[in-house]
Amino acid sequence: MLDSILQKIKENKLNVDIDLITKAYNFAFDAHKDQKRESGEPYIIHPICVSEILVDLGMDTNTIIAGLLHDVIEDTPYTYDDIKNLFNDEVANLVDGVTKLGKIKYMTKEEQQAENVRKMLLAMAKDIRVIIIKLADRLYNLRTLKFKSPEKQKEKAKETFDIYAPLAHRLGISKIKWELEDLAFRYLHPDEYYDLVKQIAEKRVERETYIKKVMEDLGNNLDDAGIQADIDGRPKHFYSIYRKMVNKNKTLDQIFDLTAIRVLVGTVKDCYAVLGIVHTIYKPIPGRFKDYIAMPKPNMYQSLHTTVIGPQGKTFEIQIRTFEMHKTAEYGIAAHWKYKEVGSEVTHTDSFETKLSWLRDMLEWQKETSDAEEFMEGFKMDLFTDEIFVFTPKGVVINLPKDATPVDFAYKIHTDIGNRCVGAKINGKMVTLDHKLKTGEIIEILTSAVAKGPNMDWLTFVTSNQAKTKIKQWFRKTRRVENLDKGKELLEKECKKQLVNFSDFSKSELFAKIFKKYNFNSIDDVYAAVGAGMLLASSLVLRLKEETTDHHISNEQILKMTEEQAQKNEKKDRASKGSYGITVKGVENIMVRFSKCCSPVPGDEIVGFITKGRGVSIHRKDCTNLKSMSDEEKERLVEVSWGEEKGKGYSAEFQVEAEDRTGLLADIMQLITNDNLQLTSLNAKSLKNGVAVMNVMVTVDNKEKLNTLMKKIKAIRGVIEVYRMNS
């Protein structure tokens, strides 16, 4: 097995430290010697195959070693320090990074998946090689997916489509991307996959004969012109063919370019010379020529693409690039490490950092995105969207998502340019700010020093996450002063209501605890959070009161008190009714109440908090109040679950932020009425910057109905954000 790795290193002509790799192999073999995979094969085969994929990518010594050891910390008794002492800090950090990513599981809930992806982005920012190892790990796992259950196969395949294939694309590693997609396609849509394979195989001989003839004709013409070139015919991957059939609503018989002819030459000059010859002997199809040499893709891909009509009227695609461009097209960011000398340090040049600028942009906007579904949609769009290339007046190429507008362009240049944007010119002519840009256009942004800032309408047409985030950021900042005043007023009112002297609290060390729990820096941050609806004044004051009470009483004692109280108050307290179906530690009919800070409804994951004299308080598991609890308070948490029978009529609160306009409230009320839901309360306020904020309380049977309503409201014209209220 070691010989297979060394043989691949020799084939790839890698200048790596063979002795260190041998040492890592022996260490991994010993660490995993008693372990088996689900297929029954020795576990060591998995890290060996992962390291072989990394060798094929041309990675450096430390990355190949980390590939051999990537499961050691997670699956064996060895630790980070063991690897650090046996090898070096870099190898230990890479293995540790992959170990943390190994805990990423694909969840059906967007919130959990979004949090896992955030962790992955941070790991990538620290060392991009971590995700390259993870991609190799995922590729081998897909190659052996047949040993998993059908449910697991579909789960892993969908996760690959959603996350790992787009990441491989964004890093430019087409060598891995295409295989990931084809394998995932096979397990996620098996009927379509095998039907397509069968159809393609039936006419393969005929197609190969045709392409061979075209390649011979092209080769003869290039020889006559004195251009040395390597020409080959590359069958298109199954998933790319399937996607074209679906997107263009065509059958396989209607798609002629099932094979792309690739021409590799020595220089850029020869690339354009070949293009001229191709267009001389074959008729090009208008609108199907793309110059990725002059305007490279963000993932570093460079090539000329043209689709032409060949003999017998059949169309096919020709790709023209240099040998160096081909290496980058196949290996992407991994090409940075290819052919490094033994012992040479891996340095990150300015050009390397530029290639990863998209990662920094993504990390920046994700910090501002609290909505999990919005985050995942943005993440996928940033990684796998079609792109356009436009120019600044000075000729700098700027890449943007398809259908981007001048506002997207302005924020791509600089945040201040976007905030002060008042108009735009394309090729010297004035256009509206919602104009959809096209590749090749020259964009000039007009700004004003007296501009009041972005317009809320911009959110309805911008396409880039960067622009959306910056616009929302600006509005949040301008609303802070209003939220400060509102929050202070709400807290003072709540203190009076609960017979608490607010001035005593605000001067005590109790508020210092609140700062720490919620990551606030000052009392102003608390006021702003309350004013913005991020914290409920009632929950905050109650928490401050509880900080002063005696907690030294066992959960068992409190549960006993709670059971006795439930029996006494069964007729009086609505929360004690068995119809609510809440089970506390396996006991039915315990007095429970649903916390107002997060308003759980059936379908939410829940947990109970034992209170004194008020039963068990039911919270959503993602409630901010729970996350900020002290260790002592966490001891009072108990397992609870929804029973088979649930009650009807659970209060749930959400907040709507929208452009203030006539008819907005009526539109929201109409949706609530159409869904046959009861409106419990509504508090609306119009802010000075033209934004309306509404807190809506409705009565629903379950989470699904609430999510459906919120999505419908999100689609209303002018609505910026809709989210569940949470302390």
Side-chain angles (χ1 to χ4, degrees):
M1 289 185 286
L2 173 61
D3 288 343
S4 68
I5 299 175
L6 301 181
Q7 180 61 32
K8 277 193 173 290
I9 290 173
K10 184 178 179 181
E11 290 171 1
N12 284 274
K13 301 176 182 178
L14 297 188
N15 294 313
V16 294
D17 192 324
I18 299 296
D19 291 339
L20 264 181
I21 290 173
T22 302
K23 178 182 176 182
Y25 166 81
N26 291 328
F27 177 67
F29 188 90
D30 182 66
H32 294 296
K33 62 184 177 183
D34 297 324
Q35 297 175 342
K36 300 278 188 183
R37 284 175 64 81
E38 290 183 22
S39 61
E41 66 183 15
Y43 193 91
I44 187 64
I45 291 177
H46 171 71
I48 286 172
C49 291
V50 169
S51 66
E52 287 180 351
I53 293 170
L54 295 170
V55 169
D56 283 337
L57 290 175
M59 298 306 294
D60 61 299
T61 301
N62 286 339
T63 310
I64 296 170
I65 291 174
L68 282 165
L69 308 181
H70 76 273
D71 280 332
V72 165
I73 293 178
E74 186 171 359
D75 295 332
T76 77
Y78 291 102
T79 65
Y80 171 92
D81 289 333
D82 292 330
I83 294 175
K84 176 181 174 181
N85 294 331
L86 278 168
F87 297 96
N88 55 54
D89 289 356
E90 197 172 284
V91 169
N93 288 333
L94 287 171
V95 174
D96 187 52
V98 178
T99 300
K100 289 173 181 174
L101 289 188
K103 293 172 183 172
I104 292 180
K105 307 287 185 189
Y106 180 78
M107 303 293 182
T108 55
K109 292 186 172 64
E110 289 280 354
E111 292 88 352
Q112 291 168 301
Q113 189 186 17
E115 187 56 36
N116 288 333
V117 172
R118 281 190 171 100
K119 291 176 185 175
M120 184 163 59
L121 291 175
L122 292 171
M124 288 168 62
K126 193 172 183 181
D127 193 328
I128 199 69
R129 289 174 294 177
V130 170
I131 196 61
I132 295 176
I133 297 169
K134 185 61 186 173
L135 287 172
D137 175 58
R138 173 49 58 106
L139 178 57
Y140 181 71
N141 282 337
L142 281 191
R143 288 174 178 174
T144 57
L145 201 56
K146 62 183 178 181
F147 298 106
K148 298 284 186 180
S149 66
E151 295 76 17
K152 204 70 175 175
Q153 288 172 351
K154 289 187 181 295
E155 180 185 309
K156 292 295 181 185
K158 188 173 191 313
E159 182 184 41
T160 299
F161 270 133
D162 286 349
I163 297 173
Y164 292 103
L167 274 173
H169 168 76
R170 204 63 174 83
L171 295 172
I173 313 176
S174 61
K175 190 177 180 70
I176 284 183
K177 176 212 169 190
W178 291 117
E179 189 175 354
L180 284 176
E181 287 185 335
D182 277 356
L183 287 169
F185 175 38
R186 173 182 168 187
Y187 288 104
L188 201 58
H189 304 288
D191 294 340
E192 293 88 340
Y193 173 84
Y194 288 110
D195 181 56
L196 183 61
V197 170
K198 181 182 176 183
Q199 289 185 63
I200 290 175
E202 287 173 352
K203 296 187 178 181
R204 186 179 63 186
V205 175
E206 176 187 332
R207 190 168 57 253
E208 287 178 351
T209 302
Y210 179 82
I211 290 297
K212 185 177 179 181
K213 178 66 170 64
V214 170
M215 288 165 56
E216 287 176 0
D217 291 344
L218 181 56
N220 291 334
N221 278 273
L222 295 183
D223 288 341
D224 292 341
I227 298 175
Q228 292 185 342
D230 283 356
I231 306 174
D232 64 32
R234 178 185 64 82
K236 290 208 169 180
H237 297 271
F238 294 125
Y239 181 65
S240 67
I241 296 171
Y242 173 72
R243 193 169 55 192
K244 183 176 286 190
M245 290 169 62
V246 172
N247 291 344
K248 297 187 177 182
N249 196 25
K250 290 185 176 181
T251 64
L252 187 66
D253 292 336
Q254 295 172 305
I255 297 177
F256 298 106
D257 53 337
L258 298 179
T259 303
I261 294 177
R262 182 184 292 143
V263 182
L264 304 181
V265 293
T267 66
V268 173
K269 179 181 177 182
D270 286 344
C271 289
Y272 289 99
V274 171
L275 178 68
I277 292 170
V278 167
H279 284 181
T280 300
I281 59 179
Y282 304 118
K283 187 176 181 180
I285 297 178
R288 295 295 302 272
F289 167 64
K290 295 175 183 177
D291 188 345
Y292 294 120
I293 293 180
M295 294 180 289
K297 291 186 176 184
N299 63 7
M300 303 169 290
Y301 179 87
Q302 286 185 287
S303 185
L304 297 176
H305 289 195
T306 184
T307 303
V308 298
I309 301 174
Q312 303 169 30
K314 293 183 178 180
T315 62
F316 57 91
E317 183 182 66
I318 296 181
Q319 300 172 357
I320 309 163
R321 64 184 76 141
T322 66
F323 292 99
E324 188 67 24
M325 291 173 189
H326 180 60
K327 184 178 75 175
T328 302
E330 290 289 294
Y331 300 99
I333 202 74
H336 175 74
W337 287 275
K338 205 167 176 66
Y339 309 121
K340 292 285 179 186
E341 295 296 326
V342 175
S344 66
E345 228 176 278
V346 176
T347 55
H348 288 187
T349 60
D350 289 342
S351 62
F352 178 82
E353 294 299 331
T354 301
K355 291 165 186 173
L356 290 179
S357 60
W358 61 270
L359 178 56
R360 288 194 299 274
D361 291 342
M362 195 179 294
L363 283 169
E364 184 180 347
W365 71 255
Q366 66 90 17
K367 291 176 186 175
E368 302 297 327
T369 309
S370 58
D371 182 80
E373 192 168 340
E374 180 184 338
F375 169 77
M376 287 308 300
E377 286 176 4
F379 171 77
K380 294 169 190 174
M381 187 184 80
D382 262 14
L383 287 181
F384 223 0
T385 189
D386 290 333
E387 295 158 329
I388 61 169
F389 301 88
V390 294
F391 297 93
T392 69
K394 293 184 178 180
V396 178
V397 179
I398 302 292
N399 65 287
L400 292 166
K402 184 184 177 184
D403 294 333
T405 65
V407 176
D408 292 288
F409 177 87
Y411 278 105
K412 180 82 171 184
I413 301 299
H414 197 279
T415 301
D416 287 343
I417 301 295
N419 289 340
R420 293 189 290 113
C421 173
V422 293
K425 290 183 179 180
I426 293 182
N427 300 332
K429 295 182 179 179
M430 290 292 296
V431 295
T432 58
L433 290 179
D434 61 354
H435 176 86
K436 292 182 179 180
L437 304 179
K438 297 180 180 63
T439 292
E441 292 178 330
I442 300 172
I443 319 299
E444 180 183 353
I445 298 297
L446 307 178
T447 61
S448 170
V450 296
K452 295 180 180 179
N455 191 307
M456 192 61 68
D457 286 339
W458 293 358
L459 286 170
T460 63
F461 58 74
V462 293
T463 60
S464 65
N465 286 306
Q466 187 176 13
K468 289 177 183 176
T469 300
K470 294 300 181 184
I471 293 169
K472 291 177 181 178
Q473 233 175 30
W474 189 89
F475 280 106
R476 286 194 192 101
K477 188 176 179 181
T478 56
R479 290 203 295 264
R480 180 174 170 83
V481 176
E482 296 170 0
N483 287 335
L484 279 171
D485 295 337
K486 179 183 176 184
K488 188 174 182 180
E489 181 184 343
L490 287 171
L491 273 174
E492 289 177 343
K493 283 184 178 178
E494 189 61 34
C495 281
K496 288 179 181 177
K497 183 179 177 181
Q498 297 195 35
L499 303 177
V500 170
N501 189 338
F502 176 70
S503 60
D504 291 343
F505 278 125
S506 60
K507 294 174 185 177
S508 72
E509 62 178 21
L510 293 175
F511 251 96
K513 291 183 180 180
I514 295 297
F515 296 161
K516 186 176 180 180
K517 287 176 182 177
Y518 292 95
N519 293 319
F520 293 140
N521 296 316
S522 68
I523 196 168
D524 281 352
D525 289 344
V526 178
Y527 293 153
V530 172
M534 294 168 59
L535 273 175
L536 288 180
S538 57
S539 299
L540 183 56
V541 174
L542 183 62
R543 180 168 291 274
L544 287 169
K545 286 173 67 177
E546 289 182 348
E547 288 282 353
T548 63
T549 61
D550 178 22
H551 298 307
H552 300 292
I553 183 168
S554 70
N555 285 358
E556 288 74 18
Q557 287 175 304
I558 299 175
L559 269 177
K560 186 177 180 182
M561 292 162 52
T562 302
E563 291 176 35
E564 292 172 354
Q565 188 73 20
Q567 292 171 3
K568 293 177 182 178
N569 299 336
E570 185 170 0
K571 293 182 180 180
K572 298 179 181 178
D573 197 327
R574 186 170 84 97
S576 66
K577 292 180 181 178
S579 62
Y580 275 97
I582 296 293
T583 300
V584 181
K585 280 192 171 181
V587 182
E588 297 284 357
N589 294 325
I590 296 300
M591 184 176 73
V592 299
R593 65 186 184 88
F594 294 93
S595 61
K596 294 181 180 178
C597 54
C598 56
S599 301
V601 299
D604 287 328
E605 292 188 11
I606 54 175
V607 67
F609 180 74
I610 301 172
T611 66
K612 295 178 183 177
R614 290 179 288 116
V616 176
S617 177
I618 308 300
H619 293 257
R620 300 205 318 254
K621 279 190 176 180
D622 63 354
C623 179
T624 309
N625 278 340
L626 297 182
K627 293 178 181 178
S628 60
M629 279 183 177
S630 64
D631 291 338
E632 191 175 23
E633 288 174 315
K634 288 179 180 176
E635 292 177 0
R636 293 164 62 186
L637 293 175
V638 290
E639 291 182 12
V640 297
S641 60
W642 298 101
E644 292 183 5
E645 293 185 9
K646 301 179 180 63
K648 292 186 177 181
Y650 297 82
S651 294
E653 185 178 9
F654 58 89
Q655 188 170 89
V656 181
E657 293 184 15
E659 174 191 355
D660 196 2
R661 63 172 175 82
T662 303
L664 174 64
L665 188 57
D667 290 344
I668 293 174
M669 297 283 286
Q670 186 62 51
L671 283 178
I672 294 173
T673 302
N674 291 345
D675 282 3
N676 294 319
L677 298 178
Q678 179 184 346
L679 177 65
T680 308
S681 69
L682 188 146
N683 183 17
K685 183 176 180 180
S686 180
L687 305 181
K688 294 178 182 178
N689 56 11
V691 176
V693 177
M694 282 161 281
N695 286 71
V696 184
M697 181 83 78
V698 293
T699 301
V700 295
D701 294 343
N702 53 56
K703 183 180 179 181
E704 186 179 350
K705 287 188 178 180
L706 179 62
N707 286 344
T708 300
L709 173 64
M710 289 170 62
K711 283 186 178 181
K712 289 179 181 178
I713 292 176
K714 183 77 178 284
I716 293 176
R717 178 172 61 87
V719 171
I720 305 164
E721 290 183 358
V722 182
Y723 47 85
R724 290 270 300 269
M725 291 302 292
N726 191 350
S727 63

